[in-house]
Every structure is written in C-alpha cells, then in structure tokens.
Amino acid sequence: MNEALPDVPEVRVVGLPQLTSGFDLVERLDLPMHLKVHGPLEPMGGEQLAKLAENINLKGRGGAGFPFHKKLRAVAESAIKRGVRPVVVVNGSEDEPACRKDTVMINRAPHLILDGALLCAEALGARTLVVGVTRESTQRSMEAALAERGLSNSRRSALRAWVQRNPVRMVTGAAASLIRSIDGGPAIPSGRKVSASQNGVGGAPTLLSNAETFAQLAIAARIGPERYGNTGLYDEPGTVMLTVSGAVARPMVIEVPTGVPLRYVLQLAGAPPVPQGVLTGGYHGKWIDAATVNEAVVSRNSLDAVGGSLGAGAILPISQETCPLGESLRVAQWLAEESAGQCGPCYLGLPAAARGLEDILNGGGPAALEALKQVAQNVKRRGACSHPDGSAMFLESTIKAFTDDLAAHVLGNGCGRPVEGVLPLFEGGRAPTGIPGGGESEENGPSRQKIFVDWTLCRGHGLCADILPEVFQLGADGFPTVAQAKVPRYAEAKALRAVRRCPALALRIEEDTRAQDSSRSNLPVLSQGRGRRALGRGN
C-alpha cells in the first residue's frame, strides 16, 4: 500500500531551475538568502504587470488554468469602479493527497510567492494580503516569511498581512471556501456563484490565485518576458511544477520546462516502463493509457489534446499488476467523503457514484455501468463548487480509459488482479465536513430524518427538487432519482416544506432510528423510468 506523501518530498529539476533556484544550497530560503539567489524586485504598475502576465501567457496553476492577466484587470476595473481597495489572496491550500508542489514552494521558497503577491498588491493599491494554508508546516514557513519582511496584521500597517489556516479538506481549496473562511465563516463554499474579482473578501474585489502562479509572476518580473519565453514552449513558456507519485520508486516534486516528454518525467521518478495508465491532473483529473503517454509532453494544451489534464500538476502512473477500477474506487470513495455535505449533487451524488463503481466491481453487470454513467452525469454543474464536476470527470475518465478491464468486470468475472493501493490517500478518518476543526456543528451533524418517495402517488411534478436540491434530483424522465435518502441536518426545515407542498402528497418523513454512527445510507438510485435499481449494498 502506498503511504501518504510527506509535506516536502524529494525535489528535482530538469534543465535550469527557476522556481527551485537555491534549493541545492539550503532547505529554506530565508529573506537574505532569497535576495542573494533571486536579487531585488522593482515595483510595477498595474497595466505593466497585466501585460507581463499576458505576454508570458500566465495561467492559474491551481487547476482551472484561468488567464492571470484577465483576473488582474478585472479586479483593478472593479476596484476603480466601486472606489474601494481590493484584497490579494494567495491560495496555498493544497488538500489533495497526490499534490505537494505548492506545499514545497511555501516550505522552501516562501519569499518568491510573496514577491508575486506583493507586486500585485502594490500595483492594485491593496491594503490587505492573506495567504491561505492548511498544513502546520506551511503555516510556520509563511508566518516566518511575513515576519522576516516586517509584515503583520496590525491596524497601523500600510499593508495588513496574515496567514489563514484551514482544515485539510478537498473543498477547502475552492476560492469561495477560502474567502468565506477569511471572512470568519466555515471553510466551505457559500453556494453563491459570485466572482471573487467582483465580490470577494469583505465584499471587496479580490485577486485570488494559486501559490505557484504568484511565484511564476515573480520570476517573469525579474527576468522579463523575452528571457522567460526562452524556456519551454512558445505558446506556454516557462516551467511547470509537478508532483509525481503512484507506482513510482521515488515520489517527487519536479520542476520541468514545458515541452518535456511526459515519459521522461515518469522515468526520472522510476515509474514502470509501460504503465497501465497515468492519472494526469490529480483526483479531479483524467486518465491516459500507456500508448498515449508516449505522445504527450508536459503542457496544458498537449495533455488536453490526448485526453489528459494538467490540472493541479499531479502525475500518477499505475502498474500492469493492479486493478485500475479498484484503484479508482479508492479515490472515488475518498472524493465522496470530502463533501462539505451541503448540496445534493455532492452529499448524495458522489457516494452514490462510488457505490455504483463498487457495484460494477462486485458483478453488477451492464445495468450497474449505465446507472453509474447516469449518476456521474447528474452531479455535474449542480454543486456549490467544482468538487462534484471534478469528481464526475475522474469517474467518466476511468470508464473511458480502461475499457478492457471494464468489460472484464461488467461482462465476466473481473480482471483477476488485486488492488495494490498505489494512489496516495490521507491516513486516518476525518468527518466529512468542511467546517474549521474538521468536527461537526449542530447544523452539519448526523441526519435525524429520512425522506421517502411513494411511487404509487408520485406524478413527477418536480417541486421536491426545487425545494430540496440537497436530496432530490430529477432523472431524464422527470421523476426523482432517489426513493429514500437521509436529510442533512441543516436541510430538515426544507424537507418538511417539500413534504407539505408536494401536489401529489407523495413524500413522507420518518425519524431515522438507526445508530447515528453509520456514516452512509444506502441510496436506491433509479435508472431511466420508474423501475428501481440499487447502486450499492448495505454497509
């Protein structure tokens, strides 16, 4: 079984280092050593900084890949229009078990990240800088870096700066979660689709980007766009930080120029010569097969073209000796547990999808496969954040990439291979809530009620899905896709409203008298039409 990655694994570089300059000299570049390695940095005007980001085609390195210059200009325009000072937020919340690149940068080169963030703060006229982290090591390193620069959260400071520590959870890294926690709320998405550039921390326009993005900006500001463009591909210049783990001899974080063959990166980490598949982009990413690995180079466009994803920069090969669907099931179960528990597509859909994949492995046949596809389709674009979308993309990619193994499980007696557990996951159980501290509040505690659909009365009005989307989704036939489900504690009032307003009187609520420590309910999920088909087995 693969152990959890350390905060700071081995670091390698292909070619000349940029972000990792000085790593061969010291474990952590404090301010004097940082200046010795990288030199001083002159301030830049807002439009000058935006042009620099545009000229080097800088895109966010947290997964979404949004053009940084557009984000910078949007924040500036909003701040000027509203007459308020914007806020700059560095997102160092690296909460995926297979990702360590930002953690490495914050632990070893925090001042390079601060250089980029302070450039932006100066250009925008921001008076507030917040660095979001989730690990003790990153908190210590960044707080030390702020102190080395004389920055603090004092009201008398020209620039107030502090570190925001949140729980290690997948949803914590969402922009909306980080902003909400900075404002004093729980580190979970609010559910409101509001752009941080328009309405972020304290309602002010907020420039929020990934830690590596700010570090890349700092490098480009020092050496200029022409020199920066001499490294890597013409349309995606510079370097990329990758975390390589899975079935490798040496898990590592590696800085590589764009355009380096992916197979070369895998060789450096000691991956199998012919991997069964490679998960690209992390657990919200996509699988590619062994043949495709030979075609891919390290770049966003190249990986997209071969059906992969650069995403958060995680690269995870698996060997021919393990069951790929079993490996994916472990990840799918973890993704389901990472739900903040506040919207139906995530709280109910992801556990149902994981049970669907388990049902396929347990001999559920073609019906189980079709049910899984339907659930994955239903959760997309319906959550309060991108977690359901990324999880669905991972599941759909699994089905597409391993067709031979899928056929063996769906049509036969399975592939016959064990599950080696080579994809890293966090150790120890954690409550599936995104609230600070990882515990359960009264509102997010165990469900006390179950809601049932009486199919003899249901006429498919769909009002239940409008009132209680946390529980009910409508299938292609217009009928609810669950026959019974636990009601989240915070949604109990809405569940009662749904029962009272159902035109066909087809809903009822019962107190859940079973032990509260059973962590998952068995949700019967319907296929097309009204026939019932359970996706899972009782725990």
Side-chain angles (χ1 to χ4, degrees):
M1 301 289 283
N2 202 335
E3 297 180 359
L5 293 175
D7 279 10
V8 183
E10 176 186 355
V11 179
R12 297 282 297 273
V13 61
V14 174
L16 295 176
Q18 291 190 357
L19 300 183
T20 58
S21 292
F23 281 23
D24 57 332
L25 303 174
V26 292
E27 284 300 308
R28 178 184 180 275
L29 281 74
D30 60 13
L31 186 57
M33 180 59 75
H34 167 74
L35 293 173
K36 199 174 290 185
V37 169
H38 292 285
L41 184 59
E42 296 297 321
M44 301 175 70
E47 183 55 29
Q48 184 184 9
L49 197 60
K51 284 183 178 177
L52 171 66
E54 186 174 9
N55 287 339
I56 65 171
N57 195 21
L58 179 61
K59 294 183 178 179
R61 301 299 176 91
F66 190 81
F68 188 80
H69 69 94
K70 291 184 178 180
K71 190 179 293 187
L72 187 62
R73 288 191 173 108
V75 171
E77 290 168 4
S78 180
I80 293 170
K81 183 178 180 180
R82 294 172 53 190
V84 297
R85 290 191 179 273
V87 175
V88 175
V89 176
V90 178
N91 193 348
S93 309
E94 197 167 40
D95 304 314
E96 199 170 315
C99 296
R100 290 295 184 277
K101 66 180 183 68
D102 293 320
T103 302
V104 164
M105 288 300 301
I106 294 174
N107 272 285
R108 301 198 60 181
H111 289 284
L112 197 59
I113 297 165
L114 286 178
D115 278 347
L118 291 170
L119 268 179
C120 294
E122 177 89 9
L124 292 168
R127 295 287 176 84
T128 304
L129 168 64
V130 186
V131 182
V133 301
T134 54
R135 303 173 190 275
E136 184 180 351
S137 64
T138 49
Q139 180 181 7
R140 283 199 310 265
S141 180
M142 190 54 76
E143 285 180 343
L146 292 177
E148 288 165 6
R149 289 179 181 250
L151 296 171
S152 72
N153 193 20
S154 170
R155 293 182 180 275
R156 295 187 296 272
S157 301
L159 175 71
R160 297 180 64 179
W162 73 90
V163 176
Q164 174 70 28
R165 171 86 180 271
N166 289 324
V168 180
R169 295 204 60 82
M170 188 72 163
V171 296
T172 303
S177 300
L178 181 51
I179 289 172
R180 192 176 182 187
S181 71
I182 294 169
D183 283 338
I188 56 178
S190 64
R192 295 180 293 112
K193 301 292 185 180
V194 179
S195 168
S197 301
Q198 306 299 319
N199 189 351
V201 175
T206 299
L207 179 69
L208 186 150
S209 199
N210 167 261
E212 185 196 338
T213 313
F214 285 107
Q216 293 283 0
L217 185 68
I219 292 292
R222 278 186 168 89
I223 66 177
E226 186 174 342
R227 238 181 96 192
Y228 187 93
N230 288 338
T231 300
L233 299 170
Y234 172 78
D235 58 341
E236 291 184 54
T239 63
V240 175
M241 295 288 284
L242 303 173
T243 311
V244 187
S245 63
V248 297
R250 299 180 301 279
M252 63 177 61
V253 168
I254 182 168
E255 182 183 14
V256 301
T258 55
V260 168
L262 181 59
R263 65 178 179 275
Y264 179 66
V265 173
L266 295 173
Q267 287 169 3
L268 285 177
V274 184
Q276 183 175 190
V278 178
L279 181 58
T280 59
Y283 295 161
H284 278 178
K286 298 179 181 180
W287 289 99
I288 58 177
D289 60 26
T292 306
V293 168
N294 293 325
E295 303 172 20
V297 302
V298 177
S299 82
R300 190 175 302 278
N301 290 339
S302 172
L303 288 171
D304 286 347
V306 297
S309 170
L310 180 60
I315 305 295
L316 300 108
I318 60 172
S319 71
Q320 300 282 352
E321 285 72 44
T322 190
C323 172
L325 300 184
E327 294 287 348
S328 297
L329 174 61
R330 294 177 65 247
V331 175
Q333 290 170 334
W334 178 80
L335 290 169
E337 291 171 358
E338 288 299 291
S339 168
Q342 66 173 357
C343 59
C346 198
Y347 180 75
L348 298 172
L350 296 189
R355 285 194 298 273
L357 183 54
E358 184 175 21
D359 201 22
I360 290 173
L361 287 165
N362 290 336
L369 176 59
E370 290 306 313
L372 172 59
K373 289 179 178 178
Q374 182 179 344
V375 173
Q377 183 64 34
N378 285 343
V379 304
K380 290 191 291 188
R381 295 179 295 279
R382 300 187 65 188
C385 67
S386 61
H387 184 50
D389 298 336
S391 302
M393 182 169 67
F394 167 79
L395 286 163
E396 290 175 337
S397 172
T398 300
I399 294 171
K400 183 178 179 181
F402 302 110
T403 53
D404 290 346
D405 293 87
L406 190 66
H409 283 282
V410 170
L411 303 176
N413 296 320
C415 66
R417 286 172 291 184
V419 179
E420 296 180 340
V422 296
L423 301 181
L425 296 172
F426 290 128
E427 295 178 351
R430 295 193 310 269
T433 65
I435 61 175
E440 291 180 336
S441 67
E442 176 68 18
E443 186 179 76
N444 289 282
S447 170
R448 299 175 300 187
Q449 297 179 346
K450 290 189 73 174
I451 192 166
F452 294 82
V453 179
D454 185 337
W455 298 115
T456 65
L457 298 175
C458 181
R459 295 293 179 266
H461 294 98
L463 195 62
C464 57
D466 292 334
I467 297 175
L468 198 61
E470 295 90 345
V471 172
F472 291 114
Q473 303 169 38
L474 300 182
D477 57 358
F479 285 85
T481 57
V482 295
Q484 58 176 287
K486 285 186 177 182
V487 179
R489 181 76 67 91
Y490 68 89
E492 287 178 350
K494 291 200 292 182
L496 184 59
R497 194 181 315 131
V499 170
R500 289 172 175 171
R501 295 185 61 185
C502 176
L505 303 178
L507 301 177
R508 76 179 190 276
I509 288 177
E510 294 180 4
E511 290 295 316
D512 190 356
T513 57
R514 293 183 302 174
Q516 293 296 335
D517 61 354
S518 60
S519 61
R520 293 289 181 270
S521 62
N522 181 26
L523 303 182
V525 179
L526 302 184
S527 62
Q528 301 288 340
R530 294 177 59 181
R532 306 184 196 186
R533 182 178 295 127
L535 278 188
R537 306 286 190 265
N539 291 334

